[in-house]
Each structure stands twice: as structure tokens, then as C-alpha cells.
């Protein structure tokens, strides 16, 4: 990401002058580190363990405390887990739309499920995801694994132009692309956004397989509310993260995608790990 700071700043300046929906308050990511915040559900003491989150300063709970621009969102309903009925509806609708869904109750279960879905020897890339950080998967990827960590190869290239080309080529065409979403609708749709296009592109078509890990705090009624959550909540929190991580005024929504169903030519391509916890933005 640091390699695209100039692009971020340029887009932010353009957004201010054109009055688009680039940097309002948005992007949701609850719970700090391994410890659950008040907005998360109580977990069983026998839940499987998971690696620690090494990005604890960039969880929703931490950013609300460190960034004054998020004060109004501190107790927002988008940071809370959904009730049982809404979770049931979303899962059933996702499956009806062709997605394979794995419903789990804890971060540890999410971590173990994600691990089990990726065969040894696979090439793996991931979008930036606070959710993946919170379940410990990013920490795990940085160690010795049985996969080809393409994300690490991309970040090892320090020339911005060459790194961007790697994101476009090997980054988007991996065996497994890992990410989260900014919203999941009760009628079974997935919604997300990005700035550079690398995430949207990898999810839409480039990668052979996509695994989405998403907390039930991101369940919304429909496509209209998916945009509202993305633009008015998720973007605000992501902007706070960007201010701290990259020193830019805010992030921006340049690309927005709604996935309404599985690819008819490859119906098993996208799997969803739905976690009964408040995770990510």
C-alpha cells in the first residue's frame, strides 16, 4: 500500500474539487485485537485459538479512541453483531444465490476454517482486511506456510511502478484470493469497494477462487443499505486507518462492486466464511 500514497493523495485532492462521495465518514471494523469489544458476542471458552492480531491499533475499537473524527460512530449499530434471524436469512439467501457458506461462531473457528479451505501448494493473495488481521490470518501468512504467499512477493518489490504491475498480474490471478466485504445483504448479495481496483478486480474475475471472511456486523437489509453502510460507515473508519497508516487525509471509494450471485460458469468459485462476531470495517 505505501507504494500508492501518491495516487491516494491525488485522488483525495480530485475528490475534494469534484464533490464526489470520496471521503465522507465510512468503513466499519469492530473489535480490537484478540479481546472482544462490547459490541461482539460472548464466545465460548472452548473456542479454538488463533494467532494474535499484530495490527491492534487499526481495529474499529482502537480507531474510535484514537481518531476524533469517528466519535459519532463509536456505538453505531453497524459495529454490532446481527441477531439470529438476520444471520439465518443472510446465510440461506447467500446459498440460494449460489455461494457456499461456512457459518462459524468464533475467530478461532474462522481461522481454522479458512486454513482448511486452501490446499497445500496454492498461490495466495489477500486484500487489506482488518477482518483477516483480527482472526490472526495475516500474522499466520507472514510465517512459514504450505502456500505460495504472493502478497509477500508483491510487497517485497519496492519500485512503485513494478509493484503495481505485480498487483495487476500475479496478484489478481492467484489460486486463492482472500478478502472481506463491507456489506452482506439479507437477500444474499456481497458488496465491497476499493481505491486502486486490485481488490475488486481479483474478486470479480481474476482469481481462480475467492474466500470472503465476514462478520455478522456487516449484514444489512438490501443493496441500498449496503451502499449506505459502505459509504457512510466503512469509508469513515478506513479513512481513519489511512490517516494513521499512510499520513493521507482520507481514503476514497473509486470502485464499488455488488456481487449478486455465483458465477454460472464457475459456481463454486466464491466461498463465504460468515463469523458470528463483529469484525472488520
Amino acid at each position: 500500500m505505501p507504494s500508492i500514497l501518491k495516487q491516494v493523495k491525488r485522488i483525495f485532492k480530485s475528490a475534494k474539487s469534484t464533490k464526489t462521495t470520496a471521503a465522507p465518514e465510512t468503513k466499519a471494523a469492530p473489535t480490537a485485537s484478540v479481546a472482544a469489544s462490547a459490541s461482539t458476542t460472548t464466545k465460548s471458552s472452548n473456542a479454538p485459538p488463533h494467532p494474535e492480531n499484530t495490527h491492534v491499533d487499526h481495529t474499529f475499537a482502537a480507531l474510535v479512541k484514537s481518531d476524533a473524527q469517528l466519535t459519532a460512530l463509536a456505538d453505531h449499530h453497524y459495529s454490532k453483531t446481527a441477531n439470529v434471524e438476520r444471520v439465518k436469512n443472510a446465510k440461506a439467501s447467500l446459498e440460494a444465490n449460489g455461494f457456499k457458506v461456512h457459518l462459524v461462531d468464533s475467530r478461532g473457528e474462522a481461522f481454522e476454517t479458512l486454513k482448511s479451505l486452501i490446499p497445500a501448494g496454492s498461490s495466495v493473495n489477500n486484500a487489506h482486511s482488518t477482518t483477516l488481521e483480527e482472526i490472526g490470518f495475516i500474522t499466520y501468512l507472514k510465517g512459514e506456510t504450505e502456500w505460495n504467499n504472493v502478497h509477500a512477493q508483491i510487497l517485497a518489490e519496492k519500485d512503485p511502478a513494478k509493484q503495481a504491475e505485480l498487483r495487476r498480474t500475479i496478484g489478481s490471478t492467484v489460486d486463492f484470493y482472500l478478502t472481506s466485504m463491507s456489506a452482506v445483504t439479507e437477500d444474499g448479495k456481497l458488496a465491497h469497494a476499493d481505491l486502486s481496483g486490485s481488490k475488486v478486480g481479483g474478486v470479480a474475475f481474476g482469481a481462480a477462487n475467492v474466500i470472503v471472511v465476514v462478520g455478522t456486523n456487516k449484514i444489512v437489509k438490501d443493496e441500498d443499505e449496503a451502499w449506505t453502510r459502505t459509504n457512510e460507515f466503512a469509508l469513515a473508519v478506513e479513512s481513519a486507518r489511512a490517516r494513521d497508516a499512510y499520513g493521507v487525509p482520507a481514503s476514497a471509494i473509486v470502485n464499488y462492486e455488488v456481487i449478486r450471485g455465483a458465477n454460472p460458469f464457475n459456481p463454486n468459485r466464491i466461498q463465504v466464511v460468515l463469523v458470528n462476531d463483529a469484525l472488520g470495517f
Side-chain angles (χ1 to χ4, degrees):
M1 284 294 287
S3 65
I4 62 170
L5 289 184
K6 291 182 180 179
Q7 181 185 1
V8 176
K9 293 176 181 178
R10 184 175 67 253
I11 291 173
F12 176 74
K13 290 178 182 178
S14 172
K16 288 184 70 177
S17 63
T18 58
K19 236 179 168 184
T20 64
T21 59
E25 34 181 339
T26 329
K27 208 163 187 185
T31 337
S33 173
V34 176
S37 73
S39 66
T40 64
T41 55
T42 302
K43 300 301 169 190
S44 168
S45 59
N46 61 3
H50 60 89
E52 70 172 320
N53 175 14
T54 56
H55 300 267
V56 293
D57 291 341
H58 291 160
T59 63
F60 176 73
L63 290 168
V64 162
K65 292 179 180 179
S66 65
D67 194 309
Q69 294 187 46
L70 297 185
T71 301
L73 300 181
D75 198 42
H76 200 286
H77 66 277
Y78 286 152
S79 70
K80 316 294 183 183
T81 53
N83 62 39
V84 173
E85 183 178 0
R86 299 190 79 192
V87 173
K88 181 179 178 181
N89 290 342
K91 179 178 183 293
S93 296
L94 285 166
E95 290 173 336
N97 288 343
F99 302 110
K100 185 171 183 179
V101 182
H102 310 267
L103 180 60
V104 300
D105 285 327
S106 70
R107 300 172 187 207
E109 286 183 71
F111 172 77
E112 292 297 337
T113 299
L114 182 53
K115 273 181 60 180
S116 72
L117 294 175
I118 308 172
S122 299
S123 58
V124 176
N125 191 18
N126 62 275
H128 171 264
S129 168
T130 299
T131 295
L132 292 176
E133 291 171 351
E134 289 181 311
I135 69 170
F137 206 82
I138 298 304
T139 302
Y140 183 76
L141 273 179
K142 291 178 180 178
E144 293 275 338
T145 74
E146 54 190 357
W147 312 307
N148 175 15
N149 185 353
V150 173
H151 191 70
Q153 297 175 38
I154 293 171
L155 294 182
E157 175 54 68
K158 301 307 179 184
D159 180 87
K162 292 180 180 178
Q163 188 183 101
E165 181 64 7
L166 290 176
R167 290 182 186 278
R168 186 186 71 81
T169 53
I170 63 171
S172 295
T173 57
V174 288
D175 296 325
F176 284 84
Y177 193 85
L178 314 178
T179 188
S180 189
M181 292 283 142
S182 56
V184 177
T185 70
E186 286 190 67
D187 57 355
K189 298 166 186 173
L190 303 170
H192 67 139
D194 72 4
L195 185 150
S196 69
S198 60
K199 179 188 178 198
V200 167
V203 171
F205 187 74
N209 299 277
V210 176
I211 304 177
V212 173
V213 183
V214 62
T216 63
N217 55 304
K218 296 182 179 180
I219 295 176
V220 297
K221 181 181 179 181
D222 51 25
E223 280 191 44
D224 286 344
E225 192 180 2
W227 169 248
T228 298
R229 189 187 188 284
T230 302
N231 189 53
E232 296 179 7
F233 182 76
L235 180 56
V237 189
E238 172 60 15
S239 290
R241 189 190 74 85
R243 283 190 285 275
D244 184 68
Y246 312 129
V248 296
S251 188
I253 294 176
V254 175
N255 307 284
Y256 179 71
E257 176 181 54
V258 176
I259 306 168
R260 298 189 174 102
N263 185 327
F265 304 104
N266 189 1
N268 297 316
R269 180 175 172 269
I270 298 179
Q271 299 187 65
V272 179
V273 179
L274 185 60
V275 191
N276 191 26
D277 200 346
L279 293 167
F281 302 161

Tab-separated table of all heavy atoms in Angstrom, residues 39 42-43 52 62 77 97 126-127 152 157 166 176 228 233:
chain	number	residue	atom	x	y	z
A	39	SER	N	-19.213	-4.689	21.637
A	39	SER	CA	-20.123	-4.897	20.516
A	39	SER	C	-20.114	-6.328	19.998
A	39	SER	O	-20.897	-6.684	19.149
A	39	SER	CB	-19.754	-3.950	19.375
A	39	SER	OG	-18.501	-4.280	18.858
A	42	THR	N	-20.568	-12.885	23.137
A	42	THR	CA	-19.782	-13.634	24.102
A	42	THR	C	-19.404	-14.982	23.508
A	42	THR	O	-20.235	-15.711	23.001
A	42	THR	CB	-20.590	-13.852	25.385
A	42	THR	OG1	-20.968	-12.585	25.902
A	42	THR	CG2	-19.765	-14.593	26.420
A	43	LYS	N	-18.125	-15.319	23.587
A	43	LYS	CA	-17.645	-16.546	22.963
A	43	LYS	C	-17.396	-17.623	24.012
A	43	LYS	O	-17.022	-17.356	25.141
A	43	LYS	CB	-16.355	-16.264	22.194
A	43	LYS	CG	-16.545	-15.232	21.106
A	43	LYS	CD	-17.580	-15.676	20.115
A	43	LYS	CE	-17.972	-14.552	19.183
A	43	LYS	NZ	-19.119	-14.864	18.378
A	52	GLU	N	-2.351	-14.140	17.188
A	52	GLU	CA	-2.746	-12.813	17.640
A	52	GLU	C	-2.793	-11.823	16.479
A	52	GLU	O	-2.138	-12.008	15.444
A	52	GLU	CB	-1.784	-12.305	18.711
A	52	GLU	CG	-0.389	-11.971	18.189
A	52	GLU	CD	0.474	-11.298	19.231
A	52	GLU	OE1	-0.046	-10.455	19.977
A	52	GLU	OE2	1.668	-11.630	19.305
A	62	ALA	N	-10.061	0.488	18.422
A	62	ALA	CA	-8.877	1.327	18.629
A	62	ALA	C	-8.976	2.642	17.870
A	62	ALA	O	-8.634	3.708	18.394
A	62	ALA	CB	-7.628	0.557	18.200
A	77	HIS	N	-24.821	1.098	15.206
A	77	HIS	CA	-25.367	-0.258	15.081
A	77	HIS	C	-24.623	-1.093	14.040
A	77	HIS	O	-24.683	-2.321	14.074
A	77	HIS	CB	-26.870	-0.230	14.775
A	77	HIS	CG	-27.228	0.347	13.447
A	77	HIS	ND1	-27.351	1.708	13.223
A	77	HIS	CD2	-27.494	-0.247	12.254
A	77	HIS	CE1	-27.686	1.917	11.959
A	77	HIS	NE2	-27.778	0.755	11.349
A	97	ASN	N	-28.271	-18.012	-3.733
A	97	ASN	CA	-27.642	-17.286	-4.839
A	97	ASN	C	-26.377	-17.972	-5.339
A	97	ASN	O	-25.662	-17.429	-6.181
A	97	ASN	CB	-27.325	-15.852	-4.418
A	97	ASN	CG	-28.577	-15.001	-4.286
A	97	ASN	OD1	-29.643	-15.352	-4.791
A	97	ASN	ND2	-28.466	-13.869	-3.597
A	126	ASN	N	-4.016	-11.618	-0.699
A	126	ASN	CA	-5.096	-11.046	0.094
A	126	ASN	C	-5.173	-9.544	-0.098
A	126	ASN	O	-4.163	-8.863	-0.291
A	126	ASN	CB	-4.898	-11.359	1.582
A	126	ASN	CG	-3.622	-10.775	2.161
A	126	ASN	OD1	-2.550	-11.403	2.054
A	126	ASN	ND2	-3.715	-9.609	2.766
A	127	ALA	N	-6.400	-9.038	-0.074
A	127	ALA	CA	-6.600	-7.601	0.003
A	127	ALA	C	-6.298	-7.175	1.429
A	127	ALA	O	-6.270	-8.003	2.341
A	127	ALA	CB	-8.045	-7.265	-0.349
A	152	ALA	N	3.298	-11.358	-0.171
A	152	ALA	CA	4.641	-11.054	0.321
A	152	ALA	C	5.582	-10.730	-0.839
A	152	ALA	O	6.435	-9.838	-0.735
A	152	ALA	CB	5.178	-12.233	1.128
A	157	GLU	N	8.701	-5.989	-3.610
A	157	GLU	CA	9.102	-5.109	-4.711
A	157	GLU	C	8.883	-3.656	-4.273
A	157	GLU	O	7.763	-3.228	-4.036
A	157	GLU	CB	8.269	-5.411	-5.958
A	157	GLU	CG	8.535	-4.468	-7.128
A	157	GLU	CD	9.999	-4.387	-7.504
A	157	GLU	OE1	10.540	-5.390	-7.998
A	157	GLU	OE2	10.602	-3.300	-7.277
A	166	LEU	N	2.860	-5.980	-10.549
A	166	LEU	CA	2.719	-7.281	-9.893
A	166	LEU	C	1.311	-7.448	-9.321
A	166	LEU	O	0.735	-8.537	-9.383
A	166	LEU	CB	3.761	-7.432	-8.779
A	166	LEU	CG	5.218	-7.591	-9.229
A	166	LEU	CD1	6.142	-7.641	-8.015
A	166	LEU	CD2	5.387	-8.851	-10.076
A	176	PHE	N	-6.030	-18.609	-4.820
A	176	PHE	CA	-6.980	-18.190	-3.799
A	176	PHE	C	-6.760	-16.726	-3.433
A	176	PHE	O	-5.658	-16.327	-3.058
A	176	PHE	CB	-6.852	-19.053	-2.534
A	176	PHE	CG	-7.465	-20.412	-2.682
A	176	PHE	CD1	-6.747	-21.445	-3.275
A	176	PHE	CD2	-8.759	-20.668	-2.258
A	176	PHE	CE1	-7.304	-22.710	-3.427
A	176	PHE	CE2	-9.326	-21.918	-2.409
A	176	PHE	CZ	-8.607	-22.939	-3.003
A	228	THR	N	-25.116	2.376	1.736
A	228	THR	CA	-25.105	3.284	2.882
A	228	THR	C	-24.045	2.869	3.888
A	228	THR	O	-23.273	3.709	4.376
A	228	THR	CB	-26.484	3.297	3.569
A	228	THR	OG1	-27.458	3.783	2.651
A	228	THR	CG2	-26.475	4.181	4.811
A	233	PHE	N	-20.237	4.527	6.661
A	233	PHE	CA	-19.636	3.943	7.863
A	233	PHE	C	-18.256	3.359	7.574
A	233	PHE	O	-17.262	3.742	8.167
A	233	PHE	CB	-20.563	2.869	8.436
A	233	PHE	CG	-20.048	2.242	9.697
A	233	PHE	CD1	-20.112	2.914	10.902
A	233	PHE	CD2	-19.483	0.979	9.671
A	233	PHE	CE1	-19.623	2.350	12.067
A	233	PHE	CE2	-18.991	0.398	10.828
A	233	PHE	CZ	-19.067	1.084	12.035
